[in-house]
Amino acid sequence: MPILVAPLAGMALNMGNAMDEREYMTGMIEGAKAAGSITFTCDGPSPIFFELGLELLKKSQGWGVPTIKPRPEETFVEMARQMEQCGVPAIATDIDAAGIVHMKRAGQPAGPWPFAVWERTISRVKLPVILKGVMTAAEAKLAAEAGAAGIIVSNHGGRVLDHTPGTAEVLPEIAAAVKGRLKVFVDGGVRSGTDVLKMIALGAEAVFIGRPMAVAAVGGGPEGVALLLNHYAEQLGTAMIYTGCNTLADIGPSVLWPIRNE
Ligand SMILES: Cc1cc2nc3c(=O)[nH]c(=O)nc-3n(C[C@H](O)[C@H](O)[C@H](O)COP(=O)(O)O)c2cc1C
Protein backbone atom coordinates (compact mmCIF):
# COMPACT_ATOMS: atom_id res chain seq x y z
CA MET A 1 0.00 0.00 0.00
CA PRO A 2 2.02 3.03 -1.17
CA ILE A 3 -0.55 5.56 0.08
CA LEU A 4 0.04 6.75 3.64
CA VAL A 5 -1.73 9.30 5.85
CA ALA A 6 0.23 12.51 6.47
CA PRO A 7 0.55 14.00 9.96
CA LEU A 8 -2.25 16.51 10.32
CA ALA A 9 -4.02 17.37 13.57
CA GLY A 10 -5.22 20.23 15.74
CA MET A 11 -8.99 20.47 15.90
CA ALA A 12 -8.89 23.65 18.00
CA LEU A 13 -5.81 25.13 16.32
CA ASN A 14 -6.55 24.33 12.69
CA MET A 15 -10.03 22.94 12.13
CA GLY A 16 -12.52 25.08 14.03
CA ASN A 17 -13.16 22.36 16.63
CA ALA A 18 -14.85 20.25 13.95
CA MET A 19 -14.77 17.22 16.26
CA ASP A 20 -13.12 15.82 19.36
CA GLU A 21 -9.34 15.44 18.86
CA ARG A 22 -9.22 11.89 20.27
CA GLU A 23 -12.09 10.75 18.07
CA TYR A 24 -10.40 12.35 15.04
CA MET A 25 -6.98 10.77 15.65
CA THR A 26 -8.60 7.41 16.34
CA GLY A 27 -10.30 7.70 12.94
CA MET A 28 -7.01 8.50 11.22
CA ILE A 29 -5.10 5.64 12.91
CA GLU A 30 -7.75 2.93 12.82
CA GLY A 31 -9.04 3.86 9.35
CA ALA A 32 -5.54 3.64 7.90
CA LYS A 33 -5.00 0.30 9.64
CA ALA A 34 -8.23 -1.07 8.16
CA ALA A 35 -7.06 -0.10 4.66
CA GLY A 36 -3.60 -1.66 5.13
CA SER A 37 -2.00 1.76 5.40
CA ILE A 38 -0.43 3.73 8.22
CA THR A 39 -0.97 7.18 9.77
CA PHE A 40 1.75 9.55 10.92
CA THR A 41 0.74 11.26 14.18
CA CYS A 42 1.62 14.80 15.28
CA ASP A 43 3.30 16.91 17.87
CA GLY A 44 2.66 20.57 18.57
CA PRO A 45 2.74 23.46 21.01
CA SER A 46 0.16 21.84 23.31
CA PRO A 47 1.21 18.52 24.95
CA ILE A 48 -2.14 17.05 23.85
CA PHE A 49 -0.75 16.33 20.35
CA PHE A 50 2.13 14.14 21.49
CA GLU A 51 0.32 12.60 24.45
CA LEU A 52 -2.68 11.63 22.38
CA GLY A 53 -0.41 10.12 19.73
CA LEU A 54 1.40 8.18 22.46
CA GLU A 55 -1.84 6.90 23.99
CA LEU A 56 -3.45 5.92 20.67
CA LEU A 57 -0.32 4.37 19.16
CA LYS A 58 0.08 2.26 22.30
CA LYS A 59 -3.53 1.17 21.91
CA SER A 60 -3.04 0.27 18.25
CA GLN A 61 0.15 -1.68 19.12
CA GLY A 62 2.41 0.67 17.24
CA TRP A 63 0.38 0.92 14.04
CA GLY A 64 1.55 4.40 13.13
CA VAL A 65 4.60 6.64 13.00
CA PRO A 66 4.90 9.56 15.41
CA THR A 67 6.07 12.87 13.97
CA ILE A 68 8.02 14.68 16.68
CA LYS A 69 8.70 18.39 16.16
CA PRO A 70 12.40 19.20 15.76
CA ARG A 71 12.72 19.98 19.46
CA PRO A 72 16.02 20.43 21.33
CA GLU A 73 18.09 17.23 21.26
CA GLU A 74 17.47 15.94 24.79
CA THR A 75 13.71 16.52 24.53
CA PHE A 76 13.57 14.90 21.09
CA VAL A 77 15.49 11.81 22.18
CA GLU A 78 13.32 11.43 25.32
CA MET A 79 10.11 11.70 23.28
CA ALA A 80 11.45 9.19 20.75
CA ARG A 81 12.22 6.79 23.64
CA GLN A 82 8.66 7.03 24.89
CA MET A 83 7.38 6.24 21.41
CA GLU A 84 9.79 3.30 21.03
CA GLN A 85 7.95 1.63 23.95
CA CYS A 86 4.74 1.63 21.85
CA GLY A 87 6.26 -0.61 19.18
CA VAL A 88 6.17 1.95 16.37
CA PRO A 89 8.35 1.08 13.35
CA ALA A 90 9.97 4.52 12.92
CA ILE A 91 10.07 8.13 14.10
CA ALA A 92 9.55 11.13 11.83
CA THR A 93 10.37 14.77 12.36
CA ASP A 94 9.13 17.74 10.35
CA ILE A 95 12.36 19.70 10.08
CA ASP A 96 10.45 22.34 8.12
CA ALA A 97 8.68 23.28 11.38
CA ALA A 98 11.82 25.28 12.19
CA GLY A 99 10.05 28.55 11.48
CA ILE A 100 6.51 27.55 12.31
CA VAL A 101 4.52 30.26 14.01
CA HIS A 102 2.59 28.13 16.55
CA MET A 103 5.81 26.81 18.09
CA LYS A 104 7.42 30.27 18.15
CA ARG A 105 4.40 31.81 19.85
CA ALA A 106 4.45 29.07 22.48
CA GLY A 107 8.14 29.77 23.15
CA GLN A 108 9.12 26.23 22.12
CA PRO A 109 12.17 26.19 19.85
CA ALA A 110 11.96 23.83 16.87
CA GLY A 111 15.36 24.38 15.28
CA PRO A 112 16.88 24.90 12.85
CA TRP A 113 19.65 22.69 14.25
CA PRO A 114 23.05 22.25 12.60
CA PHE A 115 23.97 19.10 10.70
CA ALA A 116 26.14 17.77 13.57
CA VAL A 117 23.18 17.97 15.96
CA TRP A 118 20.96 15.96 13.61
CA GLU A 119 23.69 13.39 13.01
CA ARG A 120 24.06 12.88 16.76
CA THR A 121 20.33 12.96 17.49
CA ILE A 122 19.59 10.37 14.78
CA SER A 123 22.37 8.12 16.11
CA ARG A 124 20.83 8.31 19.60
CA VAL A 125 17.35 7.19 18.44
CA LYS A 126 17.10 3.41 18.11
CA LEU A 127 14.36 3.44 15.45
CA PRO A 128 14.77 4.61 11.84
CA VAL A 129 14.32 8.39 11.60
CA ILE A 130 12.48 10.00 8.69
CA LEU A 131 13.07 13.70 7.95
CA LYS A 132 9.98 15.48 6.63
CA GLY A 133 10.23 18.72 4.71
CA VAL A 134 13.15 18.14 2.35
CA MET A 135 12.94 20.23 -0.84
CA THR A 136 16.41 20.12 -2.44
CA ALA A 137 18.84 17.41 -3.57
CA ALA A 138 21.60 18.97 -1.46
CA GLU A 139 19.46 18.75 1.67
CA ALA A 140 18.48 15.16 0.81
CA LYS A 141 22.17 14.20 0.59
CA LEU A 142 22.77 15.77 4.00
CA ALA A 143 19.85 13.73 5.37
CA ALA A 144 21.47 10.55 4.05
CA GLU A 145 24.86 11.54 5.52
CA ALA A 146 23.22 12.29 8.87
CA GLY A 147 21.91 8.71 8.95
CA ALA A 148 18.23 9.33 8.20
CA ALA A 149 16.35 6.24 7.02
CA GLY A 150 14.01 8.25 4.83
CA ILE A 151 12.92 11.67 3.70
CA ILE A 152 9.54 13.12 2.90
CA VAL A 153 9.76 15.61 0.06
CA SER A 154 7.27 18.18 1.34
CA ASN A 155 6.65 21.91 1.51
CA HIS A 156 4.25 21.33 4.45
CA GLY A 157 1.30 21.86 2.13
CA GLY A 158 2.53 25.38 1.32
CA ARG A 159 2.02 26.37 4.95
CA VAL A 160 5.53 27.35 6.00
CA LEU A 161 7.03 29.53 3.24
CA ASP A 162 5.41 31.25 0.29
CA HIS A 163 6.89 30.80 -3.20
CA THR A 164 8.33 27.32 -2.59
CA PRO A 165 8.05 25.09 -5.67
CA GLY A 166 5.61 22.21 -5.86
CA THR A 167 6.94 18.89 -4.60
CA ALA A 168 6.37 17.15 -7.96
CA GLU A 169 8.76 19.70 -9.49
CA VAL A 170 11.66 18.98 -7.14
CA LEU A 171 11.07 15.24 -6.62
CA PRO A 172 12.92 13.84 -9.68
CA GLU A 173 16.17 15.63 -8.87
CA ILE A 174 15.98 14.61 -5.21
CA ALA A 175 15.16 10.97 -6.03
CA ALA A 176 18.03 10.82 -8.51
CA ALA A 177 20.40 12.11 -5.83
CA VAL A 178 19.52 9.77 -2.95
CA LYS A 179 17.20 6.90 -3.94
CA GLY A 180 18.73 3.65 -2.75
CA ARG A 181 20.52 5.38 0.15
CA LEU A 182 17.27 6.15 1.97
CA LYS A 183 13.52 5.88 1.39
CA VAL A 184 12.05 8.71 -0.65
CA PHE A 185 8.47 9.72 0.16
CA VAL A 186 6.50 12.74 -1.01
CA ASP A 187 3.37 14.70 -0.15
CA GLY A 188 1.54 17.78 -1.35
CA GLY A 189 -1.61 17.96 -3.46
CA VAL A 190 -1.95 14.24 -4.14
CA ARG A 191 -5.67 13.91 -4.77
CA SER A 192 -6.22 10.71 -6.76
CA GLY A 193 -4.72 7.32 -7.49
CA THR A 194 -3.44 8.73 -10.78
CA ASP A 195 -1.61 11.44 -8.81
CA VAL A 196 -0.04 8.63 -6.77
CA LEU A 197 1.08 6.92 -9.99
CA LYS A 198 2.64 10.20 -11.18
CA MET A 199 4.53 10.75 -7.93
CA ILE A 200 5.90 7.19 -8.03
CA ALA A 201 6.86 7.73 -11.69
CA LEU A 202 8.73 10.87 -10.61
CA GLY A 203 10.75 8.90 -8.07
CA ALA A 204 8.74 8.44 -4.85
CA GLU A 205 8.53 5.05 -3.15
CA ALA A 206 5.25 5.97 -1.43
CA VAL A 207 3.11 9.07 -1.05
CA PHE A 208 1.32 10.78 1.81
CA ILE A 209 -2.10 12.37 1.63
CA GLY A 210 -3.06 14.99 4.20
CA ARG A 211 -6.04 17.33 3.88
CA PRO A 212 -8.49 14.96 2.13
CA MET A 213 -7.84 12.38 4.88
CA ALA A 214 -8.74 14.95 7.55
CA VAL A 215 -11.99 15.69 5.70
CA ALA A 216 -12.68 11.94 5.56
CA ALA A 217 -11.97 11.52 9.29
CA VAL A 218 -14.22 14.42 10.27
CA GLY A 219 -16.99 13.29 7.94
CA GLY A 220 -16.80 9.54 8.40
CA GLY A 221 -14.41 8.51 11.21
CA PRO A 222 -12.38 5.31 10.65
CA GLU A 223 -14.81 4.14 7.93
CA GLY A 224 -14.37 7.42 6.05
CA VAL A 225 -10.58 7.21 6.21
CA ALA A 226 -10.54 3.57 5.08
CA LEU A 227 -13.05 4.28 2.30
CA LEU A 228 -10.98 7.13 0.85
CA LEU A 229 -7.69 5.21 1.06
CA ASN A 230 -9.29 2.20 -0.65
CA HIS A 231 -10.72 4.52 -3.31
CA TYR A 232 -7.26 5.96 -4.05
CA ALA A 233 -5.76 2.44 -4.10
CA GLU A 234 -8.40 1.29 -6.57
CA GLN A 235 -7.76 4.32 -8.80
CA LEU A 236 -4.03 3.57 -8.63
CA GLY A 237 -4.71 -0.03 -9.69
CA THR A 238 -6.75 1.18 -12.67
CA ALA A 239 -4.04 3.68 -13.66
CA MET A 240 -1.46 0.86 -13.46
CA ILE A 241 -3.54 -1.30 -15.81
CA TYR A 242 -3.75 1.50 -18.38
CA THR A 243 -0.03 2.24 -18.16
CA GLY A 244 1.02 -1.41 -18.34
CA CYS A 245 2.45 -1.65 -14.82
CA ASN A 246 2.03 -5.01 -13.08
CA THR A 247 3.78 -3.99 -9.88
CA LEU A 248 4.74 -0.73 -8.19
CA ALA A 249 8.31 -1.38 -9.30
CA ASP A 250 7.15 -1.18 -12.93
CA ILE A 251 6.01 2.44 -12.49
CA GLY A 252 8.74 4.64 -13.95
CA PRO A 253 9.22 7.83 -15.97
CA SER A 254 8.00 6.06 -19.13
CA VAL A 255 4.38 6.38 -17.94
CA LEU A 256 4.73 10.18 -18.15
CA TRP A 257 4.50 11.01 -21.81
CA PRO A 258 6.32 14.40 -21.82
CA ILE A 259 9.38 12.73 -20.28
CA ARG A 260 9.14 9.71 -22.61
CA ASN A 261 9.14 12.06 -25.61
CA GLU A 262 12.15 14.06 -24.46
C1 LIG B 1 -4.12 21.71 9.34
C2 LIG B 1 -2.81 21.10 9.02
C3 LIG B 1 -1.99 20.66 10.08
C4 LIG B 1 -0.77 20.07 9.81
N1 LIG B 1 0.00 19.63 10.84
C5 LIG B 1 1.19 19.03 10.59
C6 LIG B 1 2.00 18.55 11.66
O1 LIG B 1 1.67 18.67 12.83
N2 LIG B 1 3.18 17.96 11.33
C7 LIG B 1 3.58 17.82 10.04
O2 LIG B 1 4.66 17.28 9.80
N3 LIG B 1 2.83 18.26 9.01
C8 LIG B 1 1.65 18.86 9.26
N4 LIG B 1 0.89 19.30 8.21
C9 LIG B 1 1.36 19.11 6.82
C10 LIG B 1 0.84 17.80 6.23
O3 LIG B 1 1.39 16.66 6.88
C11 LIG B 1 1.20 17.70 4.72
O4 LIG B 1 2.60 17.80 4.61
C12 LIG B 1 0.53 18.76 3.88
O5 LIG B 1 -0.81 19.01 4.26
C13 LIG B 1 0.59 18.42 2.39
O6 LIG B 1 -0.21 17.33 2.03
P1 LIG B 1 -1.71 17.52 1.42
O7 LIG B 1 -1.59 18.50 0.26
O8 LIG B 1 -2.11 16.15 0.96
O9 LIG B 1 -2.57 18.06 2.51
C14 LIG B 1 -0.34 19.92 8.46
C15 LIG B 1 -1.17 20.35 7.41
C16 LIG B 1 -2.39 20.92 7.68
C17 LIG B 1 -3.26 21.36 6.52
Side-chain angles (χ1 to χ4, degrees):
M1 176 59 158
I3 309 167
L4 314 173
V5 181
L8 199 164
M11 280 296 138
L13 200 62
N14 297 315
M15 290 177 255
N17 282 312
M19 76 192 290
D20 171 69
E21 192 81 34
R22 177 177 277 101
E23 212 185 320
Y24 165 79
M25 276 318 293
T26 302
M28 294 287 253
I29 293 171
E30 297 303 326
K33 192 173 185 175
S37 176
I38 194 163
T39 286
F40 278 42
T41 62
C42 294
D43 175 24
S46 155
I48 173 105
F49 291 94
F50 180 76
E51 284 166 10
L52 200 54
L54 195 62
E55 176 197 320
L56 296 177
L57 290 176
K58 234 179 229 165
K59 206 167 150 196
S60 73
Q61 287 155 337
W63 200 279
V65 172
T67 312
I68 301 173
K69 285 270 177 278
R71 294 178 182 276
E73 183 176 340
E74 293 308 320
T75 314
F76 186 93
V77 170
E78 174 49 31
M79 288 165 87
R81 279 208 184 110
Q82 288 181 48
M83 281 295 183
E84 280 164 15
Q85 314 293 321
C86 305
V88 297
I91 304 283
T93 180
D94 46 333
I95 49 172
D96 57 1
I100 220 156
V101 71
H102 301 316
M103 297 299 285
K104 264 193 202 154
R105 280 199 194 132
Q108 298 180 35
W113 312 119
F115 174 84
V117 171
W118 275 119
E119 195 177 32
R120 198 172 55 227
T121 305
I122 290 169
S123 75
R124 293 179 64 195
V125 174
K126 285 200 197 99
L127 292 170
V129 175
I130 300 166
L131 301 184
K132 177 172 184 281
V134 170
M135 284 295 286
T136 66
E139 196 185 13
K141 283 184 198 157
L142 284 176
E145 281 163 33
I151 52 168
I152 305 177
V153 177
S154 174
N155 61 21
H156 218 101
R159 292 163 65 83
V160 289
L161 181 67
D162 282 344
H163 310 290
T164 47
T167 52
E169 292 172 294
V170 297
L171 176 59
E173 193 187 329
I174 293 175
V178 294
K179 209 160 155 188
R181 290 175 74 189
L182 40 61
K183 293 275 171 208
V184 178
F185 306 113
V186 69
D187 75 14
V190 176
R191 299 293 179 263
S192 68
T194 319
D195 282 350
V196 176
L197 180 103
K198 287 185 271 180
M199 286 298 203
I200 295 174
L202 292 171
E205 288 166 83
V207 308
F208 287 80
I209 301 184
R211 282 161 283 199
M213 301 316 308
V215 174
V218 171
E223 292 84 3
V225 170
L227 183 90
L228 190 55
L229 283 168
N230 285 327
H231 175 61
Y232 289 142
E234 201 178 313
Q235 287 178 328
L236 172 63
T238 304
M240 287 172 68
I241 291 171
Y242 283 115
T243 52
C245 300
N246 281 321
T247 68
L248 295 174
D250 294 333
I251 305 173
S254 67
V255 308
L256 303 168
W257 71 264
I259 291 178
R260 191 190 60 208
N261 290 339
E262 262 174 12

PDB file of all heavy atoms in Angstrom, residues 179-198:
ATOM      1  N   LYS A 179      17.981   8.147  -3.970  1.00  0.00           N
ATOM      2  CA  LYS A 179      17.202   6.898  -3.936  1.00  0.00           C
ATOM      3  C   LYS A 179      18.164   5.714  -3.846  1.00  0.00           C
ATOM      4  O   LYS A 179      19.173   5.680  -4.542  1.00  0.00           O
ATOM      5  CB  LYS A 179      16.321   6.781  -5.166  1.00  0.00           C
ATOM      6  CG  LYS A 179      15.065   5.981  -4.926  1.00  0.00           C
ATOM      7  CD  LYS A 179      14.037   6.311  -5.973  1.00  0.00           C
ATOM      8  CE  LYS A 179      13.057   5.194  -6.177  1.00  0.00           C
ATOM      9  NZ  LYS A 179      12.193   5.481  -7.317  1.00  0.00           N
ATOM     10  N   GLY A 180      17.825   4.780  -2.968  1.00  0.00           N
ATOM     11  CA  GLY A 180      18.726   3.649  -2.747  1.00  0.00           C
ATOM     12  C   GLY A 180      19.506   3.840  -1.458  1.00  0.00           C
ATOM     13  O   GLY A 180      19.823   2.891  -0.765  1.00  0.00           O
ATOM     14  N   ARG A 181      19.807   5.117  -1.121  1.00  0.00           N
ATOM     15  CA  ARG A 181      20.520   5.380   0.148  1.00  0.00           C
ATOM     16  C   ARG A 181      19.513   5.517   1.283  1.00  0.00           C
ATOM     17  O   ARG A 181      19.814   5.200   2.420  1.00  0.00           O
ATOM     18  CB  ARG A 181      21.336   6.667   0.047  1.00  0.00           C
ATOM     19  CG  ARG A 181      22.536   6.535  -0.882  1.00  0.00           C
ATOM     20  CD  ARG A 181      23.237   7.866  -1.051  1.00  0.00           C
ATOM     21  NE  ARG A 181      24.001   8.260   0.113  1.00  0.00           N
ATOM     22  CZ  ARG A 181      24.555   9.469   0.247  1.00  0.00           C
ATOM     23  NH1 ARG A 181      24.424  10.381  -0.694  1.00  0.00           N
ATOM     24  NH2 ARG A 181      25.254   9.763   1.331  1.00  0.00           N
ATOM     25  N   LEU A 182      18.359   6.059   0.995  1.00  0.00           N
ATOM     26  CA  LEU A 182      17.269   6.151   1.974  1.00  0.00           C
ATOM     27  C   LEU A 182      15.932   6.120   1.242  1.00  0.00           C
ATOM     28  O   LEU A 182      15.888   6.240   0.020  1.00  0.00           O
ATOM     29  CB  LEU A 182      17.413   7.401   2.863  1.00  0.00           C
ATOM     30  CG  LEU A 182      17.864   8.740   2.281  1.00  0.00           C
ATOM     31  CD1 LEU A 182      16.935   9.254   1.237  1.00  0.00           C
ATOM     32  CD2 LEU A 182      18.030   9.752   3.390  1.00  0.00           C
ATOM     33  N   LYS A 183      14.860   5.931   1.999  1.00  0.00           N
ATOM     34  CA  LYS A 183      13.520   5.879   1.392  1.00  0.00           C
ATOM     35  C   LYS A 183      13.098   7.290   1.005  1.00  0.00           C
ATOM     36  O   LYS A 183      13.300   8.234   1.761  1.00  0.00           O
ATOM     37  CB  LYS A 183      12.501   5.323   2.392  1.00  0.00           C
ATOM     38  CG  LYS A 183      12.730   3.878   2.741  1.00  0.00           C
ATOM     39  CD  LYS A 183      12.075   2.986   1.713  1.00  0.00           C
ATOM     40  CE  LYS A 183      12.480   1.548   1.923  1.00  0.00           C
ATOM     41  NZ  LYS A 183      12.451   0.760   0.701  1.00  0.00           N
ATOM     42  N   VAL A 184      12.504   7.397  -0.175  1.00  0.00           N
ATOM     43  CA  VAL A 184      12.052   8.710  -0.648  1.00  0.00           C
ATOM     44  C   VAL A 184      10.526   8.722  -0.717  1.00  0.00           C
ATOM     45  O   VAL A 184       9.926   7.989  -1.488  1.00  0.00           O
ATOM     46  CB  VAL A 184      12.660   9.042  -2.033  1.00  0.00           C
ATOM     47  CG1 VAL A 184      12.139  10.386  -2.534  1.00  0.00           C
ATOM     48  CG2 VAL A 184      14.186   9.048  -1.961  1.00  0.00           C
ATOM     49  N   PHE A 185       9.929   9.546   0.142  1.00  0.00           N
ATOM     50  CA  PHE A 185       8.475   9.723   0.161  1.00  0.00           C
ATOM     51  C   PHE A 185       8.151  11.147  -0.280  1.00  0.00           C
ATOM     52  O   PHE A 185       9.030  12.008  -0.304  1.00  0.00           O
ATOM     53  CB  PHE A 185       7.927   9.506   1.579  1.00  0.00           C
ATOM     54  CG  PHE A 185       8.309   8.195   2.210  1.00  0.00           C
ATOM     55  CD1 PHE A 185       9.161   8.147   3.313  1.00  0.00           C
ATOM     56  CD2 PHE A 185       7.820   6.996   1.720  1.00  0.00           C
ATOM     57  CE1 PHE A 185       9.514   6.939   3.908  1.00  0.00           C
ATOM     58  CE2 PHE A 185       8.159   5.779   2.309  1.00  0.00           C
ATOM     59  CZ  PHE A 185       9.012   5.754   3.398  1.00  0.00           C
ATOM     60  N   VAL A 186       6.884  11.388  -0.584  1.00  0.00           N
ATOM     61  CA  VAL A 186       6.497  12.743  -1.007  1.00  0.00           C
ATOM     62  C   VAL A 186       5.072  13.030  -0.534  1.00  0.00           C
ATOM     63  O   VAL A 186       4.275  12.101  -0.366  1.00  0.00           O
ATOM     64  CB  VAL A 186       6.604  12.877  -2.554  1.00  0.00           C
ATOM     65  CG1 VAL A 186       5.541  12.060  -3.275  1.00  0.00           C
ATOM     66  CG2 VAL A 186       6.518  14.340  -3.010  1.00  0.00           C
ATOM     67  N   ASP A 187       4.768  14.295  -0.326  1.00  0.00           N
ATOM     68  CA  ASP A 187       3.369  14.696  -0.150  1.00  0.00           C
ATOM     69  C   ASP A 187       3.147  16.061  -0.786  1.00  0.00           C
ATOM     70  O   ASP A 187       4.081  16.706  -1.244  1.00  0.00           O
ATOM     71  CB  ASP A 187       2.921  14.674   1.333  1.00  0.00           C
ATOM     72  CG  ASP A 187       3.456  15.840   2.164  1.00  0.00           C
ATOM     73  OD1 ASP A 187       3.960  16.828   1.605  1.00  0.00           O
ATOM     74  OD2 ASP A 187       3.359  15.752   3.400  1.00  0.00           O
ATOM     75  N   GLY A 188       1.883  16.459  -0.828  1.00  0.00           N
ATOM     76  CA  GLY A 188       1.538  17.777  -1.354  1.00  0.00           C
ATOM     77  C   GLY A 188       0.630  17.678  -2.555  1.00  0.00           C
ATOM     78  O   GLY A 188       1.066  17.371  -3.670  1.00  0.00           O
ATOM     79  N   GLY A 189      -0.659  17.882  -2.347  1.00  0.00           N
ATOM     80  CA  GLY A 189      -1.606  17.964  -3.457  1.00  0.00           C
ATOM     81  C   GLY A 189      -1.904  16.656  -4.161  1.00  0.00           C
ATOM     82  O   GLY A 189      -2.434  16.673  -5.270  1.00  0.00           O
ATOM     83  N   VAL A 190      -1.592  15.538  -3.531  1.00  0.00           N
ATOM     84  CA  VAL A 190      -1.947  14.237  -4.137  1.00  0.00           C
ATOM     85  C   VAL A 190      -3.433  14.008  -3.880  1.00  0.00           C
ATOM     86  O   VAL A 190      -3.867  13.941  -2.730  1.00  0.00           O
ATOM     87  CB  VAL A 190      -1.091  13.096  -3.519  1.00  0.00           C
ATOM     88  CG1 VAL A 190      -1.530  11.746  -4.062  1.00  0.00           C
ATOM     89  CG2 VAL A 190       0.386  13.346  -3.776  1.00  0.00           C
ATOM     90  N   ARG A 191      -4.221  13.928  -4.938  1.00  0.00           N
ATOM     91  CA  ARG A 191      -5.668  13.910  -4.769  1.00  0.00           C
ATOM     92  C   ARG A 191      -6.372  12.795  -5.533  1.00  0.00           C
ATOM     93  O   ARG A 191      -7.602  12.814  -5.680  1.00  0.00           O
ATOM     94  CB  ARG A 191      -6.266  15.269  -5.216  1.00  0.00           C
ATOM     95  CG  ARG A 191      -5.762  16.463  -4.414  1.00  0.00           C
ATOM     96  CD  ARG A 191      -6.243  16.397  -2.968  1.00  0.00           C
ATOM     97  NE  ARG A 191      -5.750  17.522  -2.176  1.00  0.00           N
ATOM     98  CZ  ARG A 191      -4.672  17.470  -1.383  1.00  0.00           C
ATOM     99  NH1 ARG A 191      -3.967  16.344  -1.268  1.00  0.00           N
ATOM    100  NH2 ARG A 191      -4.303  18.512  -0.680  1.00  0.00           N
ATOM    101  N   SER A 192      -5.616  11.847  -6.058  1.00  0.00           N
ATOM    102  CA  SER A 192      -6.222  10.709  -6.756  1.00  0.00           C
ATOM    103  C   SER A 192      -5.173   9.607  -6.891  1.00  0.00           C
ATOM    104  O   SER A 192      -3.975   9.858  -6.695  1.00  0.00           O
ATOM    105  CB  SER A 192      -6.684  11.123  -8.157  1.00  0.00           C
ATOM    106  OG  SER A 192      -5.544  11.398  -8.963  1.00  0.00           O
ATOM    107  N   GLY A 193      -5.658   8.417  -7.255  1.00  0.00           N
ATOM    108  CA  GLY A 193      -4.719   7.320  -7.489  1.00  0.00           C
ATOM    109  C   GLY A 193      -3.799   7.608  -8.661  1.00  0.00           C
ATOM    110  O   GLY A 193      -2.655   7.166  -8.702  1.00  0.00           O
ATOM    111  N   THR A 194      -4.289   8.375  -9.623  1.00  0.00           N
ATOM    112  CA  THR A 194      -3.445   8.732 -10.777  1.00  0.00           C
ATOM    113  C   THR A 194      -2.330   9.682 -10.328  1.00  0.00           C
ATOM    114  O   THR A 194      -1.211   9.618 -10.828  1.00  0.00           O
ATOM    115  CB  THR A 194      -4.297   9.382 -11.889  1.00  0.00           C
ATOM    116  OG1 THR A 194      -5.515   8.676 -11.978  1.00  0.00           O
ATOM    117  CG2 THR A 194      -3.586   9.339 -13.217  1.00  0.00           C
ATOM    118  N   ASP A 195      -2.659  10.583  -9.383  1.00  0.00           N
ATOM    119  CA  ASP A 195      -1.607  11.435  -8.807  1.00  0.00           C
ATOM    120  C   ASP A 195      -0.546  10.579  -8.110  1.00  0.00           C
ATOM    121  O   ASP A 195       0.652  10.873  -8.178  1.00  0.00           O
ATOM    122  CB  ASP A 195      -2.201  12.420  -7.793  1.00  0.00           C
ATOM    123  CG  ASP A 195      -2.884  13.614  -8.444  1.00  0.00           C
ATOM    124  OD1 ASP A 195      -2.747  13.800  -9.669  1.00  0.00           O
ATOM    125  OD2 ASP A 195      -3.563  14.375  -7.711  1.00  0.00           O
ATOM    126  N   VAL A 196      -0.987   9.521  -7.437  1.00  0.00           N
ATOM    127  CA  VAL A 196      -0.036   8.628  -6.766  1.00  0.00           C
ATOM    128  C   VAL A 196       0.894   8.004  -7.811  1.00  0.00           C
ATOM    129  O   VAL A 196       2.125   7.995  -7.661  1.00  0.00           O
ATOM    130  CB  VAL A 196      -0.764   7.511  -5.969  1.00  0.00           C
ATOM    131  CG1 VAL A 196       0.241   6.540  -5.355  1.00  0.00           C
ATOM    132  CG2 VAL A 196      -1.678   8.099  -4.897  1.00  0.00           C
ATOM    133  N   LEU A 197       0.287   7.518  -8.903  1.00  0.00           N
ATOM    134  CA  LEU A 197       1.082   6.922  -9.988  1.00  0.00           C
ATOM    135  C   LEU A 197       2.129   7.923 -10.490  1.00  0.00           C
ATOM    136  O   LEU A 197       3.299   7.579 -10.684  1.00  0.00           O
ATOM    137  CB  LEU A 197       0.154   6.504 -11.129  1.00  0.00           C
ATOM    138  CG  LEU A 197       0.851   5.867 -12.317  1.00  0.00           C
ATOM    139  CD1 LEU A 197       0.658   4.342 -12.301  1.00  0.00           C
ATOM    140  CD2 LEU A 197       0.350   6.398 -13.652  1.00  0.00           C
ATOM    141  N   LYS A 198       1.710   9.175 -10.665  1.00  0.00           N
ATOM    142  CA  LYS A 198       2.636  10.199 -11.179  1.00  0.00           C
ATOM    143  C   LYS A 198       3.786  10.443 -10.205  1.00  0.00           C
ATOM    144  O   LYS A 198       4.938  10.570 -10.622  1.00  0.00           O
ATOM    145  CB  LYS A 198       1.872  11.508 -11.447  1.00  0.00           C
ATOM    146  CG  LYS A 198       0.983  11.438 -12.689  1.00  0.00           C
ATOM    147  CD  LYS A 198       0.341  12.772 -12.989  1.00  0.00           C
ATOM    148  CE  LYS A 198      -0.981  12.929 -12.275  1.00  0.00           C
ATOM    149  NZ  LYS A 198      -1.646  14.214 -12.539  1.00  0.00           N
TER     150      LYS A 198
END
